[in-house]
Amino acid sequence: MTHSLVAANILSRPTRTLISILAVGTGVILMLIIGGITTGTLNDYLNRTMSVGADFILQPSGSTVFYAFSSAALPIKLADKLRETPGVGAVAPVLAKFSSADFGLVFGIDLATYDQFPGRLEILEGRNSLQGNEVIVDDLYAMSHKVSPGMTVEILGRKFTISAICRRGSVVRVFVPLPTLQQMNGTEDKVTIMFIKAAPGADVESVFRELHRAYPGLALVRTTDPSVLLADTRMPGLKEFRLTVVTVSMLISFMVILLAMYTTIFERTREIGILKSMGASKAFIVGLILRESVIISLLGIAFGVGASLIIRKLITTAFPTLQVDMTFVEVLRGSLLGLLGGTLGALYPAYKAARMDPVQALSYE
Amino acid sequence: MGEGLRGSIETTGLTMIYRSGKVEVPAIREINLTVGPGEFVAIMGPSGCGKSTLLHLLGGLVRPTRGQVLIDGIDIAKLSDAERTAVRREKVGYIFQRFNLLPNISARANIELAKRIHGNGHANLYKDDHILALLGIKEKIGFRPTELSGGEQQRVAIARAVINQPSILLADEPTGNLDSHNSRLVLTLLQDLNQRLGQTIVMITHDSEAASMANHVIEMRDGRILARTHHFVYEPEFEGLF
């Protein structure tokens, strides 16, 4: 009976209900898609960084895991010194540069040193060569840009010839020769980071301690531990960005439900008066309004989650290099926040309805 | 409160003054009224004389400015909003001139809603069937109010008011929106319910024929009780006097 009243009220204003559902759904979509792109991009970075198979990354102190945004501040000669450190097996100096055209990183590497790492480039097609104006791209890049070995592509405003296609999963999708990128960047003897691998049989912890002792002014990060890579101190603004997205999304749900339910209680003033004359308690009336908003929110959440899955599919089809992570926990969190926003939005109208004067409500036309 | 007090109403010095800024508008003035359990009382009087306000006070919908309203010995004027709501839920059933059924749900859902509010959602269906049969709406309860005639809607409203077997029925011009045939039907039903279920009925009416169904008729003017008549006799030529 109360269920049928709630259902009837929802169905009696289909346009209002539909708009509310769409609005709550939009909030959920925002949370899931923007959050998914953020998390996806970050996880992509982490997985790729870890895929190199290095034990450590050496960076200038205060750098972030987004090394693309760090300056080229490490002297390349440091690589030779690092190789002399006891227990160090391989060092690969890298200059990272962000390509806004491809919304991705370009790595300037020395192929010979880079190939010493377990995550060396696995060539699928072409020659394993990286000199002068040559470029190696991964198969996803080749697929999305419809290119193959021998073709010319423009990277960072310069023409490069594709020498090979490597398997996806490497740290970045585009590799150019280190000296070429250094020259393009105007930092001939500088690199952004150094990948370091302990020598076979060496104790990784001892090597870490030794490097840490030898280069106290630089940041040495273990790449085997994603949580260290993800530490908030290394991700400035990420927490705030996520909080902003969540807050805006919740505000949308909150405000739309507030407006919808506020309008509703004025439309139903007489109905509330009738319920009060029948002895309905304030809690009963609050319960009715809240139940209605919860159902609308749940429908909005279902729509939002469904639409997010479709949007994710569309995004990853249109932009294969973009990763949108949508885990069960993130979907659950987005759903709960959407529900919370909707429920909070209904609280004030519900409170107002419960406090209505029954006589005035009964005489409302 | 003893069993013998079920459905008793008593007011002492009952006064209701509405305030609009600095202006005071007295609606009810020092009313002393006693309605015994099982009595059927009609209240008559011109528009604006305070009949509806008196009914709202008896049902605890508003708190009086002064005076007592004893329902089964409980002074509801001294109770909080929530307590008055609880008394209304337990002891009072309302019937309105405009039926006041919830339009978006069926007649059955309207009646069951009353049971749910009362906390009587799983009550014996036999009792419900009995009341529905008495009111002649058993076949109609699947319909929405808008699909029912005025008389049927009012009978559903009566069913909703009596389904929890309140000791007091407050009816605000229950035949005001009905034609003469349905008016007579509804009045007969109210009289029947009063006799069979023993509910106290206080009914506002402008209709002398309706008033003649009651045990007593109270005549009001300017917020006061002018007269209380026993066994008002309906004379068609008096129609329109009130």
Side-chain angles (χ1 to χ4, degrees):
Chain A
M1 51 293 329
T2 47
H3 306 311
S4 60
L5 180 58
V6 170
N9 284 339
I10 288 173
L11 294 173
S12 68
R13 288 279 182 273
T15 309
R16 176 190 69 93
T17 302
L18 192 66
I19 289 170
S20 305
I21 289 171
L22 290 178
V24 173
T26 304
V28 173
I29 291 169
L30 269 179
M31 274 190 265
L32 293 183
I33 294 297
I34 296 182
I37 290 175
T38 312
T39 314
T41 306
L42 189 60
N43 285 339
D44 195 32
Y45 261 110
L46 295 177
N47 291 334
R48 287 157 174 279
T49 301
M50 290 173 71
S51 75
V52 173
D55 292 314
F56 322 109
I57 296 174
L58 191 71
Q59 300 172 272
S61 186
S63 301
T64 76
V65 70
F66 291 109
Y67 24 78
F69 302 112
S70 305
S71 58
L74 294 176
I76 192 155
K77 286 179 181 168
L78 184 63
D80 295 330
K81 281 190 175 177
L82 287 168
R83 288 187 187 104
E84 290 164 9
T85 308
V88 170
V91 177
V94 171
L95 177 61
K97 190 93 179 140
F98 184 75
S99 166
S100 52
D102 296 314
F103 198 72
L105 279 177
V106 175
F107 262 19
I109 58 168
D110 170 48
L111 198 55
T113 56
Y114 196 82
D115 274 352
Q116 292 171 357
F117 285 78
R120 61 183 159 274
L121 303 184
E122 190 183 339
I123 303 299
L124 299 173
E125 205 181 331
R127 297 176 297 109
N128 191 15
S129 167
L130 200 58
Q131 288 173 7
N133 284 337
E134 288 179 334
V135 61
I136 296 176
V137 296
D138 76 358
D139 58 336
L140 202 60
Y141 182 97
M143 189 179 74
S144 62
H145 288 76
K146 298 183 174 58
V147 291
S148 56
M151 289 177 75
T152 305
V153 287
E154 192 173 306
I155 309 282
L156 297 169
R158 182 169 171 155
K159 302 270 185 208
F160 284 87
T161 303
I162 297 171
S163 59
I165 308 290
C166 66
R167 189 182 294 283
R168 71 186 80 176
S170 301
V171 63
V172 292
R173 302 193 190 283
V174 181
F175 296 89
V176 296
L178 178 59
T180 308
L181 193 58
Q182 282 175 322
Q183 185 248 318
M184 285 167 68
N185 200 39
T187 51
E188 268 80 2
D189 55 350
K190 296 284 170 73
V191 292
T192 315
I193 53 168
M194 304 263 185
F195 286 117
I196 301 169
K197 177 83 185 158
D203 177 37
V204 176
E205 268 309 300
S206 305
V207 177
F208 179 81
R209 278 197 300 273
E210 179 57 28
L211 287 171
H212 202 61
R213 187 194 59 75
Y215 304 99
L218 298 175
L220 189 67
V221 182
R222 289 183 183 87
T223 58
T224 47
D225 186 353
S227 63
V228 174
L229 280 171
L230 260 180
D232 282 341
T233 51
R234 297 190 166 274
M235 303 299 300
L238 182 68
K239 214 173 183 178
E240 290 78 4
F241 175 72
R242 280 180 167 171
L243 188 67
T244 306
V245 172
V246 166
T247 308
V248 168
S249 308
M250 269 185 73
L251 268 178
I252 292 175
S253 304
F254 172 82
M255 288 170 74
V256 171
I257 293 286
L258 174 72
L259 191 65
M261 300 315 285
Y262 199 74
T263 318
T264 294
I265 64 149
F266 278 107
E267 277 176 5
R268 299 197 197 131
T269 299
R270 194 175 178 83
E271 179 182 311
I272 292 162
I274 296 167
L275 292 172
K276 288 197 156 206
S277 74
M278 289 161 70
S281 64
K282 286 180 180 173
F284 183 90
I285 290 166
V286 167
L288 270 185
I289 306 278
L290 286 186
R291 240 179 295 176
E292 193 174 326
S293 69
V294 164
I295 289 174
I296 290 174
S297 300
L298 288 175
L299 291 171
I301 287 164
F303 162 72
V305 171
S308 297
L309 291 171
I310 294 169
I311 291 169
R312 181 175 71 160
K313 182 74 184 162
L314 293 175
I315 288 176
T316 50
T317 306
F319 308 100
T321 55
L322 204 57
Q323 186 171 322
V324 186
D325 279 2
M326 215 181 285
T327 62
F328 174 74
V329 173
E330 277 160 351
V331 170
L332 187 68
R333 188 174 52 197
S335 303
L336 288 176
L337 289 172
L339 185 63
L340 183 67
T343 308
L344 288 177
L347 273 183
Y348 177 66
Y351 168 78
K352 210 164 164 56
R355 283 184 57 86
M356 265 185 196
D357 180 291
V359 175
Q360 281 182 6
L362 278 170
S363 58
Y364 187 83
E365 293 297 332
Chain B
M1 144 188 56
E3 276 301 304
L5 289 175
R6 265 183 64 84
S8 75
I9 301 170
E10 192 178 344
T11 71
T12 314
L14 188 62
T15 301
M16 183 69 194
I17 299 169
Y18 289 110
R19 287 188 175 83
S20 175
K22 288 181 178 175
V23 181
E24 292 192 342
V25 183
I28 297 291
R29 304 165 196 245
E30 301 287 336
I31 283 188
N32 300 314
L33 170 71
T34 304
V35 180
E39 274 194 284
F40 186 170
V41 175
I43 301 175
M44 300 186 80
S47 294
C49 73
K51 304 184 298 289
S52 291
T53 303
L54 177 60
L55 210 67
H56 292 151
L57 286 164
L58 298 183
L61 284 175
V62 281
R63 196 199 296 268
T65 311
R66 283 193 301 277
Q68 285 186 318
V69 183
L70 300 176
I71 300 294
D72 287 348
I74 304 166
D75 186 2
I76 61 169
K78 287 183 180 161
L79 300 181
S80 66
D81 266 6
E83 289 167 333
R84 273 186 286 127
T85 301
V87 170
R88 188 161 62 246
R89 186 165 56 235
E90 290 299 317
K91 296 178 179 292
V92 179
Y94 263 102
I95 302 165
F96 302 92
Q97 179 181 354
R98 287 170 57 181
F99 323 131
N100 279 343
L101 296 171
L102 300 181
N104 296 327
I105 54 177
S106 67
R108 177 195 295 277
N110 266 280
I111 294 166
E112 288 183 345
L113 183 64
K115 288 165 64 182
R116 176 56 60 132
I117 288 171
H118 187 263
N120 192 18
H122 306 287
N124 186 348
L125 280 173
Y126 172 76
K127 281 184 198 165
D128 296 1
D129 278 354
H130 177 66
I131 287 167
L132 296 176
L134 196 66
L135 292 166
I137 51 167
K138 228 176 152 180
E139 313 303 321
K140 298 284 184 179
I141 59 167
F143 292 94
R144 288 186 179 197
T146 47
E147 297 165 328
L148 300 174
S149 70
E152 287 165 344
Q153 285 188 57
Q154 192 58 298
R155 279 183 276 156
V156 172
I158 293 171
R160 183 181 67 181
V162 302
I163 202 76
N164 296 313
Q165 295 185 297
S167 51
I168 297 166
L169 265 185
L170 301 176
D172 192 349
E173 297 195 52
T175 59
N177 270 0
L178 301 179
D179 57 31
S180 57
H181 168 72
N182 276 305
S183 292
R184 220 161 285 133
L185 192 67
V186 164
L187 289 168
T188 309
L189 284 169
L190 284 177
Q191 199 175 39
D192 205 22
L193 285 168
N194 171 247
Q195 285 164 4
R196 288 193 194 208
L197 305 176
Q199 285 161 325
T200 305
I201 299 178
V202 178
M203 175 181 71
I204 290 174
T205 184
H206 282 106
D207 179 1
S208 307
E209 186 182 0
S212 70
M213 300 279 203
N215 307 127
H216 301 95
V217 177
I218 291 168
E219 193 191 337
M220 283 184 72
R221 284 280 192 286
D222 301 327
R224 292 193 173 92
I225 292 178
L226 277 190
R228 180 167 179 146
T229 315
H230 292 264
H231 300 296
F232 184 85
V233 178
Y234 171 63
E235 297 287 353
E237 60 266 28
F238 294 160
E239 196 62 72
L241 187 65
F242 296 103

